[in-house]
Amino acid sequence: MTDGKDFGIYFDEKDMSFLIQTKKASYVMAVVNGYLGHVYFGKKLGSAPGLSSLRMGDYTYLAGKPGDKCTFMDGFPFEYSISGTGDFRACPLVVKNNDGFYGGELKYSSYNIYKGKKALPGLPATFGTEEDSCSLDIELVDEVLGLKVVLTYSVFEGIDAVTRSVRVELADGETAGDNAQAAGVNDVQSAGVNDAQSDDAKKIYIEKIMSASLEMPYEDKEIITLHGSWARERIPDRRVIGHGTTSISSSRGISSHQEHPFAAFVSPDCTENSGEVLALSFVYSGSFLAEAERTQHDMLRINMGINPNNFSWELKAGESFTAPEVIMVYSSEGLGDMTNSFHEVIRKHLIRSKYLHKKRPVLLNNWEATYFDFNEEKLLKLAETAKKAGIEMLVMDDGWFGKRDSDNCSLGDWKVDRRKLPNGVGGLCKKINDIGLEMGIWFEPEMISPDSDLFRAHPDYAIQIPGRKPSECRNQFVLDITRKEVRDCIFEQISDILKEANIRYIKWDMNRPLTDVGSITTRGGEFHHRYMLAVYELQERLISEYPDLLLENCTSGGGRFDPGMMYFSPQIWCSDDTDAIERLAIQEGTALIYPLSVIGAHVSICPNHIVGRTTDLKTRGYVALAGTFGYEMDINRVSEDELSEIAAQIEMYHKYNDLVREGDYYRLISSNRLVKRSSDNTSYSWMVVSKDGSEALMTYVQARGNANTRSEKVKLKGLCPDALYSLPDGRSYRGDELMNIGFVTDKIYGDGAASLYYFRRKEDEL
Ligand code: DGJ
């Protein structure tokens, strides 16, 4: 189908094989002896290969020796398998029947190829039209369990990405209930432990369900993941893959600061510009697992999905469960090309916000300016000075509600603190608007403080294991938003504020992981996932009821900076570490997958509050420019000169943001953790090129002053080779010269010195 386009999905009846085509890659599966096998995900093929391409280990069962079925099951490269019947590798699906026995076997049943892409119930996912995407559903069945497993694949025009998701359905319903998962979002109560159900009703327990599983030759592949901690998120980590299982995961109920739902499998020679990459990114914001097992046959079995730890989903007859989506990207042209594919698929097919292609307001956030110590007068003074510099929005962060003078109370009581804001949020907002600024506000909707009116009235609203005192974290508990009445209670309070004031932006924060997971209504093994569905439902409600609202997600900085949240908000606060030099690695790791337009980045005061470093204001501006751009400082304490420099920075933002937001991003000098180098990099450089190659912005930062590299020759990327590019000072160069010989940066000096170069293509080509 989709003849004449660079993408498509085909089925070969003779070979019983499926061929999925993207712009430059092919994905192949084949049905062998009734089982669906993974054949290939790599460089684009002209047509589907026959069975000869399959590597399956021992073939004796195929040759008609059912007495040796186990050997076959132990080696066949299943596209998707259930544990317990001979596939001893890390299986994507683990199910327990009503008697507590594990085991299942998936046989190919049917397929359906169609134009466009279906949405996933209650879940964030990529989207596409009938013109720019097509999809494939493959149905596998286990007749003994009465289980249907539908694997869904989609591809998009002009993008090297294949998406995957899985739906399982238990047949023969006496207790009908189409899609228990979606019902769980809308009416979590119905799936609760108090929900009476007949014990003899047919049901199974899903103990593990991976969204993607594939198997390929090991071929010395290495793995790149993104790891970190609070204020040090998404730092690349590249390592060899040994025998056994290599995995990364989060069990915190958030995608986490520590590991990231992303894994790239790269050939040992993979660099920015060459070598093979196969990368997976999970469109989910909760606990996850990515695992790679190097098997006895030197194959790699790769799985990605919801973390099976503490997961057990009861599926009754007639119900279904949909697992979230995985985006898979293949490139034979190195990490830079992989990055470009992720940026494209996320910008074109994941972020829905109407702000995606708009310049975001330059905002001043009062967090690092005042922390909890503010009142109307202070905020208005900030707004007045901000206005003079050209700032367009004031965001009132944590501390405006209840009696919150520190982080030890009032979460859940979203009523204005009249001591600080005597005229309410509405009154303050009006005054800010009168100054000429928009207003934004901070909420932490998923939380409840033990010292809050909400907790005193409803102690059961906090997540807790009955009979056990839950652990506080930042002096707070997590709300049991799997309960509809809890979601409504919070939503209505937020709504009251939005109705009272002309709020244009919300920062949705979340400042602790989930512990002591228990509920008076929701089953333990389902809690983590139902919690995520509830977050998604709340955010969906917010952006549909308030369609003009600009939503920014935040989780103690970047603890939930993932594709799942991008479906709801076009920008996410990247990290609480606002130090420009620390941000070089954090933003580079983040931009490995995510477009610059999503990366929340602000200029903050020096010495930096997190690391104590002092960095040139110019450099702070250049680093924040590679993100959403804004300020996070007491602007009343900067000098007149600095205020003028801030005004100039804001002009710079307006001049370059269209290019930064919409252009193609390239790493020029990147972290040595990403590519193999014999020495540490002391500088970072990146550039953004407009889609038509007519303009480019290159940033060069010396993270550490270096006696021998005050200036460096940097090879630019993405330019038109034959075109002539000029800098504002009149210097001009050919594109191929800049890309192959390199551009010699101006001499700069000292820790954190930086320069910015704007190249404009001259009309006349050489
Ligand atoms: C954590 C966020 O990352 C900060 O930016 C700030 O909003 C604080 N929470 C407020 O408590």
PDB file of all heavy atoms in Angstrom, residues 481 483-495 537-538 541:
ATOM      1  N   ILE A 481      -4.879   9.324  42.985  1.00  0.00           N
ATOM      2  CA  ILE A 481      -5.695   9.854  41.875  1.00  0.00           C
ATOM      3  C   ILE A 481      -6.290   8.744  41.018  1.00  0.00           C
ATOM      4  O   ILE A 481      -6.968   9.025  40.023  1.00  0.00           O
ATOM      5  CB  ILE A 481      -4.910  10.851  40.996  1.00  0.00           C
ATOM      6  CG1 ILE A 481      -3.593  10.229  40.537  1.00  0.00           C
ATOM      7  CG2 ILE A 481      -4.687  12.168  41.713  1.00  0.00           C
ATOM      8  CD1 ILE A 481      -2.880  11.055  39.484  1.00  0.00           C
ATOM      9  N   ARG A 483      -8.572   7.232  42.102  1.00  0.00           N
ATOM     10  CA  ARG A 483      -9.985   7.391  42.512  1.00  0.00           C
ATOM     11  C   ARG A 483     -10.557   8.651  41.857  1.00  0.00           C
ATOM     12  O   ARG A 483     -10.001   9.739  41.965  1.00  0.00           O
ATOM     13  CB  ARG A 483     -10.063   7.498  44.043  1.00  0.00           C
ATOM     14  CG  ARG A 483      -9.665   6.202  44.707  1.00  0.00           C
ATOM     15  CD  ARG A 483      -9.423   6.382  46.181  1.00  0.00           C
ATOM     16  NE  ARG A 483     -10.587   6.911  46.900  1.00  0.00           N
ATOM     17  CZ  ARG A 483     -10.565   7.214  48.202  1.00  0.00           C
ATOM     18  NH1 ARG A 483      -9.449   7.037  48.913  1.00  0.00           N
ATOM     19  NH2 ARG A 483     -11.636   7.668  48.798  1.00  0.00           N
ATOM     20  N   LYS A 484     -11.702   8.451  41.233  1.00  0.00           N
ATOM     21  CA  LYS A 484     -12.305   9.552  40.467  1.00  0.00           C
ATOM     22  C   LYS A 484     -12.610  10.759  41.350  1.00  0.00           C
ATOM     23  O   LYS A 484     -12.378  11.908  40.961  1.00  0.00           O
ATOM     24  CB  LYS A 484     -13.572   9.064  39.764  1.00  0.00           C
ATOM     25  CG  LYS A 484     -14.170  10.093  38.829  1.00  0.00           C
ATOM     26  CD  LYS A 484     -15.315   9.500  38.033  1.00  0.00           C
ATOM     27  CE  LYS A 484     -15.903  10.477  37.028  1.00  0.00           C
ATOM     28  NZ  LYS A 484     -16.079  11.844  37.515  1.00  0.00           N
ATOM     29  N   GLU A 485     -13.118  10.512  42.584  1.00  0.00           N
ATOM     30  CA  GLU A 485     -13.482  11.648  43.440  1.00  0.00           C
ATOM     31  C   GLU A 485     -12.248  12.465  43.829  1.00  0.00           C
ATOM     32  O   GLU A 485     -12.339  13.686  44.034  1.00  0.00           O
ATOM     33  CB  GLU A 485     -14.269  11.190  44.686  1.00  0.00           C
ATOM     34  CG  GLU A 485     -13.494  10.400  45.725  1.00  0.00           C
ATOM     35  CD  GLU A 485     -13.459   8.904  45.427  1.00  0.00           C
ATOM     36  OE1 GLU A 485     -13.573   8.522  44.252  1.00  0.00           O
ATOM     37  OE2 GLU A 485     -13.292   8.124  46.378  1.00  0.00           O
ATOM     38  N   VAL A 486     -11.084  11.814  43.888  1.00  0.00           N
ATOM     39  CA  VAL A 486      -9.850  12.541  44.208  1.00  0.00           C
ATOM     40  C   VAL A 486      -9.442  13.399  42.999  1.00  0.00           C
ATOM     41  O   VAL A 486      -9.108  14.577  43.144  1.00  0.00           O
ATOM     42  CB  VAL A 486      -8.722  11.566  44.613  1.00  0.00           C
ATOM     43  CG1 VAL A 486      -7.430  12.327  44.903  1.00  0.00           C
ATOM     44  CG2 VAL A 486      -9.144  10.737  45.827  1.00  0.00           C
ATOM     45  N   ARG A 487      -9.526  12.803  41.833  1.00  0.00           N
ATOM     46  CA  ARG A 487      -9.197  13.578  40.620  1.00  0.00           C
ATOM     47  C   ARG A 487     -10.126  14.784  40.495  1.00  0.00           C
ATOM     48  O   ARG A 487      -9.687  15.894  40.216  1.00  0.00           O
ATOM     49  CB  ARG A 487      -9.340  12.706  39.362  1.00  0.00           C
ATOM     50  CG  ARG A 487      -8.351  11.574  39.264  1.00  0.00           C
ATOM     51  CD  ARG A 487      -8.215  11.057  37.830  1.00  0.00           C
ATOM     52  NE  ARG A 487      -9.401  10.466  37.257  1.00  0.00           N
ATOM     53  CZ  ARG A 487      -9.812   9.212  37.472  1.00  0.00           C
ATOM     54  NH1 ARG A 487      -9.101   8.426  38.283  1.00  0.00           N
ATOM     55  NH2 ARG A 487     -10.903   8.725  36.899  1.00  0.00           N
ATOM     56  N   ASP A 488     -11.393  14.546  40.714  1.00  0.00           N
ATOM     57  CA  ASP A 488     -12.364  15.646  40.585  1.00  0.00           C
ATOM     58  C   ASP A 488     -12.078  16.750  41.590  1.00  0.00           C
ATOM     59  O   ASP A 488     -12.139  17.940  41.264  1.00  0.00           O
ATOM     60  CB  ASP A 488     -13.796  15.123  40.797  1.00  0.00           C
ATOM     61  CG  ASP A 488     -14.277  14.326  39.601  1.00  0.00           C
ATOM     62  OD1 ASP A 488     -13.612  14.383  38.543  1.00  0.00           O
ATOM     63  OD2 ASP A 488     -15.295  13.624  39.731  1.00  0.00           O
ATOM     64  N   CYS A 489     -11.759  16.343  42.819  1.00  0.00           N
ATOM     65  CA  CYS A 489     -11.512  17.324  43.883  1.00  0.00           C
ATOM     66  C   CYS A 489     -10.355  18.254  43.489  1.00  0.00           C
ATOM     67  O   CYS A 489     -10.444  19.474  43.644  1.00  0.00           O
ATOM     68  CB  CYS A 489     -11.196  16.563  45.179  1.00  0.00           C
ATOM     69  SG  CYS A 489     -10.345  17.533  46.406  1.00  0.00           S
ATOM     70  N   ILE A 490      -9.299  17.678  42.927  1.00  0.00           N
ATOM     71  CA  ILE A 490      -8.134  18.489  42.552  1.00  0.00           C
ATOM     72  C   ILE A 490      -8.443  19.314  41.309  1.00  0.00           C
ATOM     73  O   ILE A 490      -8.156  20.510  41.244  1.00  0.00           O
ATOM     74  CB  ILE A 490      -6.899  17.580  42.320  1.00  0.00           C
ATOM     75  CG1 ILE A 490      -6.494  16.909  43.646  1.00  0.00           C
ATOM     76  CG2 ILE A 490      -5.730  18.332  41.715  1.00  0.00           C
ATOM     77  CD1 ILE A 490      -6.186  17.874  44.771  1.00  0.00           C
ATOM     78  N   PHE A 491      -9.067  18.659  40.350  1.00  0.00           N
ATOM     79  CA  PHE A 491      -9.342  19.378  39.102  1.00  0.00           C
ATOM     80  C   PHE A 491     -10.228  20.592  39.351  1.00  0.00           C
ATOM     81  O   PHE A 491      -9.997  21.673  38.803  1.00  0.00           O
ATOM     82  CB  PHE A 491      -9.976  18.460  38.054  1.00  0.00           C
ATOM     83  CG  PHE A 491     -10.056  19.113  36.715  1.00  0.00           C
ATOM     84  CD1 PHE A 491      -8.976  19.090  35.853  1.00  0.00           C
ATOM     85  CD2 PHE A 491     -11.189  19.827  36.327  1.00  0.00           C
ATOM     86  CE1 PHE A 491      -9.019  19.740  34.632  1.00  0.00           C
ATOM     87  CE2 PHE A 491     -11.241  20.476  35.106  1.00  0.00           C
ATOM     88  CZ  PHE A 491     -10.149  20.425  34.257  1.00  0.00           C
ATOM     89  N   GLU A 492     -11.244  20.391  40.180  1.00  0.00           N
ATOM     90  CA  GLU A 492     -12.174  21.513  40.428  1.00  0.00           C
ATOM     91  C   GLU A 492     -11.459  22.682  41.106  1.00  0.00           C
ATOM     92  O   GLU A 492     -11.738  23.846  40.809  1.00  0.00           O
ATOM     93  CB  GLU A 492     -13.370  21.026  41.251  1.00  0.00           C
ATOM     94  CG  GLU A 492     -14.412  20.360  40.341  1.00  0.00           C
ATOM     95  CD  GLU A 492     -15.241  19.299  41.033  1.00  0.00           C
ATOM     96  OE1 GLU A 492     -15.341  19.358  42.285  1.00  0.00           O
ATOM     97  OE2 GLU A 492     -15.753  18.404  40.333  1.00  0.00           O
ATOM     98  N   GLN A 493     -10.527  22.380  42.005  1.00  0.00           N
ATOM     99  CA  GLN A 493      -9.789  23.480  42.656  1.00  0.00           C
ATOM    100  C   GLN A 493      -8.930  24.248  41.645  1.00  0.00           C
ATOM    101  O   GLN A 493      -8.872  25.478  41.663  1.00  0.00           O
ATOM    102  CB  GLN A 493      -8.902  22.927  43.768  1.00  0.00           C
ATOM    103  CG  GLN A 493      -9.670  22.376  44.963  1.00  0.00           C
ATOM    104  CD  GLN A 493      -8.708  22.079  46.112  1.00  0.00           C
ATOM    105  OE1 GLN A 493      -8.063  22.966  46.653  1.00  0.00           O
ATOM    106  NE2 GLN A 493      -8.607  20.819  46.485  1.00  0.00           N
ATOM    107  N   ILE A 494      -8.272  23.485  40.758  1.00  0.00           N
ATOM    108  CA  ILE A 494      -7.447  24.145  39.723  1.00  0.00           C
ATOM    109  C   ILE A 494      -8.351  24.993  38.835  1.00  0.00           C
ATOM    110  O   ILE A 494      -8.058  26.154  38.509  1.00  0.00           O
ATOM    111  CB  ILE A 494      -6.686  23.098  38.871  1.00  0.00           C
ATOM    112  CG1 ILE A 494      -5.672  22.338  39.728  1.00  0.00           C
ATOM    113  CG2 ILE A 494      -5.992  23.757  37.674  1.00  0.00           C
ATOM    114  CD1 ILE A 494      -4.966  21.200  39.020  1.00  0.00           C
ATOM    115  N   SER A 495      -9.472  24.409  38.488  1.00  0.00           N
ATOM    116  CA  SER A 495     -10.427  25.086  37.618  1.00  0.00           C
ATOM    117  C   SER A 495     -10.927  26.394  38.234  1.00  0.00           C
ATOM    118  O   SER A 495     -11.069  27.398  37.521  1.00  0.00           O
ATOM    119  CB  SER A 495     -11.591  24.128  37.410  1.00  0.00           C
ATOM    120  OG  SER A 495     -12.096  24.247  36.158  1.00  0.00           O
ATOM    121  N   GLU A 537      -5.272  11.294  32.197  1.00  0.00           N
ATOM    122  CA  GLU A 537      -6.662  11.733  32.097  1.00  0.00           C
ATOM    123  C   GLU A 537      -6.825  13.153  32.632  1.00  0.00           C
ATOM    124  O   GLU A 537      -7.502  13.995  32.030  1.00  0.00           O
ATOM    125  CB  GLU A 537      -7.573  10.775  32.861  1.00  0.00           C
ATOM    126  CG  GLU A 537      -9.029  10.966  32.511  1.00  0.00           C
ATOM    127  CD  GLU A 537      -9.953  10.926  33.706  1.00  0.00           C
ATOM    128  OE1 GLU A 537      -9.627  11.534  34.753  1.00  0.00           O
ATOM    129  OE2 GLU A 537     -10.982  10.287  33.624  1.00  0.00           O
ATOM    130  N   LEU A 538      -6.165  13.446  33.738  1.00  0.00           N
ATOM    131  CA  LEU A 538      -6.249  14.790  34.320  1.00  0.00           C
ATOM    132  C   LEU A 538      -5.675  15.844  33.375  1.00  0.00           C
ATOM    133  O   LEU A 538      -6.250  16.913  33.183  1.00  0.00           O
ATOM    134  CB  LEU A 538      -5.475  14.824  35.634  1.00  0.00           C
ATOM    135  CG  LEU A 538      -6.253  14.520  36.920  1.00  0.00           C
ATOM    136  CD1 LEU A 538      -5.296  14.423  38.109  1.00  0.00           C
ATOM    137  CD2 LEU A 538      -7.305  15.594  37.191  1.00  0.00           C
ATOM    138  N   ARG A 541      -7.937  16.405  30.457  1.00  0.00           N
ATOM    139  CA  ARG A 541      -9.092  17.211  30.845  1.00  0.00           C
ATOM    140  C   ARG A 541      -8.711  18.694  30.910  1.00  0.00           C
ATOM    141  O   ARG A 541      -9.452  19.560  30.435  1.00  0.00           O
ATOM    142  CB  ARG A 541      -9.564  16.706  32.216  1.00  0.00           C
ATOM    143  CG  ARG A 541     -10.891  17.211  32.634  1.00  0.00           C
ATOM    144  CD  ARG A 541     -11.347  16.461  33.871  1.00  0.00           C
ATOM    145  NE  ARG A 541     -12.433  17.169  34.519  1.00  0.00           N
ATOM    146  CZ  ARG A 541     -12.892  16.890  35.730  1.00  0.00           C
ATOM    147  NH1 ARG A 541     -12.366  15.888  36.416  1.00  0.00           N
ATOM    148  NH2 ARG A 541     -13.869  17.583  36.251  1.00  0.00           N
TER     149      ARG A 541
END
